[in-house]
Amino acid sequence: MVIRCLSQCVQCEVISGTFVGTRHFIPRMELCLTETKLPFKLLRKQMPLQICYAMAINKSQGQSLENVGLFLPKPAFTHGQLYVAVSRVTSPEGLKIYIDSEIGTPTNITQNVVYKEVFQNLPLL
């Protein structure tokens, strides 16, 4: 996750894996084309970053996407949110899910959160 953009580097924080929570600086690098037909040497400076986009689960309703990465550091608020997130992808091969366990390690199990208080004041039919 990008924390700060500076003129010579970008400050980032790791959001998953072994080094979660640590901050690092990614420096601006000089890149030079080696295989070119140009009569001069083309040198450019850029940050070695790749853009990615994120959206909230509720914002994704109505979207069809080829690739979906789902990051669940905590259980989804309701089972409907989990369904919406998983159903956005057009094929199973395009779905990647990362679920954190309570101790901070990856797992393949998540909790279906249901608040029983919601059902207490329902009228009987």
Side-chain angles (χ1 to χ4, degrees):
M1 178 171 58
V2 174
I3 303 297
R4 191 179 318 158
C5 291
L6 305 167
S7 61
Q8 298 295 319
C9 62
V10 175
Q11 184 181 10
C12 300
E13 184 175 333
V14 178
I15 61 172
S16 66
T18 307
F19 298 101
V20 67
T22 59
R23 292 194 176 183
H24 303 275
F25 290 95
I26 300 173
R28 191 167 75 169
M29 299 174 67
E30 287 186 356
L31 301 172
C32 182
L33 294 175
T34 55
E35 294 181 23
T36 181
K37 295 180 181 177
L38 298 173
F40 54 88
K41 189 176 181 181
L42 185 62
L43 181 71
R44 64 180 181 182
K45 292 182 179 182
Q46 73 178 45
M47 305 288 185
L49 301 173
Q50 185 174 3
I51 296 175
C52 68
Y53 298 96
M55 98 177 44
I57 292 174
N58 290 339
K59 194 91 166 168
S60 70
Q61 283 186 311
Q63 304 285 327
S64 291
L65 305 166
E66 288 182 22
N67 296 302
V68 172
L70 186 58
F71 177 64
L72 291 175
K74 297 179 196 145
F77 186 71
T78 64
H79 69 282
Q81 280 188 318
L82 186 58
Y83 167 77
V84 166
V86 172
S87 66
R88 298 302 95 204
V89 69
T90 55
S91 70
E93 293 80 28
L95 179 64
K96 302 285 184 206
I97 301 175
Y98 180 84
I99 303 170
D100 253 350
S101 69
E102 292 177 2
I103 59 172
T105 57
T107 183
N108 59 355
I109 299 169
T110 189
Q111 184 179 4
N112 185 11
V113 179
V114 177
Y115 291 98
K116 295 184 172 100
E117 297 86 17
V118 174
F119 302 111
Q120 287 179 352
N121 296 323
L122 290 176
L124 297 172
L125 296 176

